[in-house]
Amino acid sequence: MHNEINLDKIDLNSEPPAEESRRQYYFMAKLRGLAAAKAQELGRALSYCLVTFGCQMNEKQSEVVAGILDEIGYQRKDTEDADVVIYNTCTVRENANLKVYGRLGRLHNLKDHNPDMKIVLFGCMMQEEHVVAKIKKSYPFVNLVFGTHNIFKFAELFYEMLMADTQLVDIWDGTDQIVEELPTERNYSFKSGVNIMFGCNNFCSYCIVPYVRGRERSREPEAIVKEITALVADGVTEVMLLGQNVNSYGKTLEHPITFAKLLERIEEIEGLKRIRFMTSHPKDLSDELIAVMAKSKKICHHLHLPMQSGSSRILKEMNRRYDKEKYLGLVEKIRTAVPDISLTTDIIVGFPGETEEDFLETLDVVDKSCFDTAFTFIYSKRSGTPAANMENQVPEDVVKERFDRLLALVQEKGRIASSRFEGTVQEILVEDESKEKGIFTGRTEYNLLVHFPGSEELLGKYVKVQLDTCKGFYYLGTLAE
Ligand code: 5AD
Ligand code: SF4
């Protein structure tokens, strides 16, 4: 899948090609020449630092940007004293934005020491008008700003930025283009995220995602299968299928196909061992999907099913299109079909108008559902969303107090759920060496982390470990064979 087009063979005297991926390789070839000349002038290789905020979708898109920079000859480093510093931003909650502004202040100081340094901002936060206005006004030292829809244009934008002497801003309102086959630099050689769709059409009333990621678009199943087949040929054995609402995958394609059918096609790919996916919206979780999960040999028995609230009244205000009973019914249905399933969820505390009674409903669902993990969030007002204009915002101290109570219950329940594996032997995919030398970390199909004494040659392999001690959300284990 990598380097489908050989940069050396591109004629740089010709006009840029119109076909999009060829066009981007053309600019990569130009950039490679410029980077080589600059490196020679400086007597050292050029470097970049890429920081990703937010979700796995962002991680995946950062891999494309990293792949392009690697292709043109920049070397990656972890610190920001680099020739290019790039932030892939998130705006799902206010604190994600604040982090970026805070770090930009520090970058300004670094740039004073290296005036040649380039600063690039892209991703969800940049799709908001007030953010771009602020960057233009208060952060003129930022060189390039683009959004979520034109990431495939990165090479071309980067080239234009180098040619320009003022801040370059290119934000698109949307796109129906899906450009395949750009170079990517994967974070792991043995597992990978795979986008199956982009955008979201749900408009949950608190959520900014539909505004910054645009309308829902599914990739063609053939393109997805082709990408995964190539990944497997390149050493990948686990894929995470990514979309804001994977359960509505395929509905808008010319030849509609369900998510369950897509999973069946992916299951057939030889050499692939594990299939994960996220995120599932409860309103679209079908019986067909549950049946496919139950009989599959490759789909991991883990389901992330965001509930957001346990109160039917609040769920209605959130525009979630299910109620408490429907959610609990789904949990029961999936547990009946897949008894060993690990369930995780997202919960928001302090949505406008949430009363103590509403909150108790949320605690009740947590109590009944036995989640392995629940990600808990304090409601964050996002301008432009319907909930931001709701009058009855909950006072901060009330929200904080509820949040602490919820967290305590979530942790207690999580410990109980995770401890069901204590003493068992499980297969894990070994992913990382931990900070402590000689201690490695792997993941069970249930998405549970296990730390165990091991060695480097186990990285990327499947091994059996005995889960000795449950530490709440992770285990300490030992190799079983
Ligand atoms: N405030 C708090 N949490 C939010 N999420 C999305 N929007 C908001 C918001 N405005 C949470 C939801 C979602 C997760 C990715 O982020 O729980 O599932
Ligand atoms: Fe946001 Fe709802 Fe879409 Fe998820 S489904 S991205 S919470 S609007």
Side-chain angles (χ1 to χ4, degrees):
M1 196 179 55
H2 304 269
N3 313 342
E4 296 254 331
I5 301 169
N6 185 341
L7 293 192
D8 295 330
K9 298 211 171 115
I10 295 175
D11 174 11
L12 293 178
N13 295 317
S14 64
E15 288 294 303
E19 193 278 313
E20 199 56 57
S21 64
R22 292 193 159 275
R23 184 178 179 88
Q24 297 313 312
Y25 277 93
Y26 170 90
F27 282 103
M28 281 178 237
K30 276 193 171 253
L31 284 163
R32 194 161 72 169
L34 290 177
K38 185 79 185 169
Q40 193 159 29
E41 179 193 320
L42 295 172
R44 61 169 176 81
L46 297 178
S47 61
Y48 73 97
C49 172
L50 170 58
V51 183
T52 306
F53 299 89
C55 64
Q56 302 206 28
M57 202 77 104
N58 272 15
E59 288 290 346
K60 176 74 185 172
Q61 284 174 323
S62 284
E63 290 183 1
V64 173
V65 169
I68 292 170
L69 286 165
D70 287 351
E71 188 76 16
I72 61 185
Y74 282 76
Q75 288 179 0
R76 189 162 187 164
K77 66 192 298 192
D78 291 335
T79 50
E80 293 177 338
D81 53 341
D83 296 297
V84 186
V85 176
I86 306 163
Y87 291 164
N88 185 357
T89 61
C90 168
T91 187
V92 75
R93 284 170 293 275
E94 180 68 18
N95 54 7
N97 294 42
L98 296 178
K99 262 189 232 161
V100 168
Y101 290 131
R103 290 178 76 142
L104 274 180
R106 273 187 283 146
L107 276 192
H108 197 187
N109 292 337
L110 281 173
K111 197 164 176 168
D112 282 344
H113 293 109
N114 178 8
D116 272 350
M117 176 182 181
K118 302 291 179 200
I119 300 176
V120 179
L121 302 177
F122 76 103
C124 293
M125 192 176 151
M126 302 304 128
Q127 291 291 142
E128 293 183 278
E129 267 172 39
H130 66 92
V131 170
V132 173
K134 182 165 172 158
I135 288 166
K136 282 184 180 163
K137 184 160 172 276
S138 310
Y139 303 91
F141 58 90
V142 171
N143 299 87
L144 171 62
V145 177
F146 59 101
T148 57
H149 300 297
N150 50 348
I151 292 170
F152 63 84
K153 285 256 182 210
F154 175 67
E156 187 170 349
L157 289 167
F158 195 73
Y159 178 79
E160 281 178 22
M161 173 199 79
L162 291 180
M163 296 298 120
D165 48 15
T166 50
Q167 187 176 72
L168 178 63
V169 176
D170 191 16
I171 310 291
W172 294 10
D173 283 341
T175 183
D176 48 15
Q177 260 177 296
I178 297 177
V179 181
E180 309 279 351
E181 287 161 5
L182 291 172
T184 56
E185 178 57 33
R186 298 201 312 270
N187 290 339
Y188 291 92
S189 61
F190 46 85
K191 67 169 189 173
S192 179
V194 174
N195 289 119
I196 62 166
M197 59 206 297
F198 302 93
C200 179
N201 283 354
N202 290 311
F203 292 95
C204 300
S205 63
Y206 51 82
C207 187
I208 193 96
V209 169
Y211 305 92
V212 296
R213 289 225 173 240
R215 294 294 60 73
E216 188 177 296
R217 299 156 328 267
S218 294
R219 287 176 72 196
E220 291 294 339
E222 291 74 26
I224 296 168
V225 169
K226 185 176 166 207
E227 178 179 345
I228 299 175
T229 307
L231 286 168
V232 170
D234 201 32
V236 165
T237 59
E238 179 183 302
V239 288
M240 167 72 90
L241 309 178
L242 298 171
Q244 302 296 347
N245 177 10
V246 292
N247 300 112
S248 72
Y249 169 79
K251 286 184 182 163
T252 52
L253 287 172
E254 196 184 330
H255 303 288
I257 157 174
T258 61
F259 178 54
K261 290 269 174 332
L262 175 73
L263 282 172
E264 285 181 327
R265 289 181 58 177
I266 295 172
E267 172 116 18
E268 283 167 20
I269 298 172
E270 228 166 283
L272 183 64
K273 258 190 81 107
R274 280 180 172 181
I275 305 168
R276 300 184 184 277
F277 55 85
M278 76 186 318
T279 293
S280 289
H281 194 306
K283 81 177 166 62
D284 296 313
L285 186 80
S286 66
D287 291 350
E288 186 196 15
L289 175 66
I290 294 176
V292 167
M293 275 187 96
K295 73 165 195 279
S296 166
K297 299 234 166 359
K298 296 185 180 175
I299 301 172
C300 293
H301 286 182
H302 168 226
L303 184 67
H304 185 63
L305 195 64
M307 66 179 259
Q308 311 300 3
S309 168
S311 154
S312 297
R313 197 181 67 80
I314 292 291
L315 286 168
K316 197 158 194 304
E317 293 288 308
M318 287 177 161
N319 192 29
R320 291 289 288 176
R321 284 169 277 178
Y322 56 87
D323 59 13
K324 179 184 180 189
E325 283 61 46
K326 160 107 193 240
Y327 189 89
L328 285 171
L330 278 176
V331 168
E332 195 178 307
K333 209 188 285 184
I334 184 103
R335 286 207 190 280
T336 307
V338 190
D340 62 341
I341 193 95
S342 148
L343 275 182
T344 56
T345 199
D346 292 343
I347 304 169
I348 296 175
V349 183
F351 182 83
E354 184 190 75
T355 62
E356 175 66 15
E357 287 67 44
D358 292 318
F359 178 65
L360 290 176
E361 301 278 5
T362 297
L363 291 183
D364 187 45
V365 179
V366 173
D367 194 41
K368 291 186 168 124
S369 301
C370 297
F371 298 117
D372 287 68
T373 310
F375 300 95
T376 50
F377 305 107
I378 286 181
Y379 167 72
S380 172
K381 191 169 167 176
R382 311 311 293 126
S383 60
T385 62
N389 298 325
M390 293 180 182
E391 274 160 15
N392 37 6
Q393 307 278 329
V394 184
E396 223 173 275
D397 54 333
V398 176
V399 180
K400 182 76 182 66
E401 190 266 343
R402 285 182 195 158
F403 183 82
D404 292 343
R405 276 152 72 200
L406 175 65
L407 196 64
L409 184 65
V410 158
Q411 287 176 343
E412 180 195 329
K413 289 282 165 181
R415 252 192 306 274
I416 295 170
S418 306
S419 67
R420 73 189 186 278
F421 297 109
E422 199 151 31
T424 64
V425 170
Q426 300 284 337
E427 186 174 58
I428 60 168
L429 171 58
V430 185
E431 296 185 352
D432 290 299
E433 179 164 15
S434 76
K435 284 190 198 98
E436 201 181 329
K437 209 154 171 48
I439 302 297
F440 286 75
T441 302
R443 224 174 262 272
T444 69
E445 73 163 302
Y446 308 103
N447 213 32
L448 199 61
L449 283 175
V450 185
H451 302 294
F452 67 101
S455 52
E456 214 157 275
E457 72 272 7
L458 297 180
L459 282 171
K461 304 243 162 61
Y462 291 83
V463 297
K464 296 250 164 62
V465 286
Q466 161 123 2
L467 306 194
D468 300 320
T469 319
C470 180
K471 290 282 189 183
F473 296 107
Y474 68 95
Y475 267 92
L476 300 180
T478 39
L479 279 171
E481 50 188 47

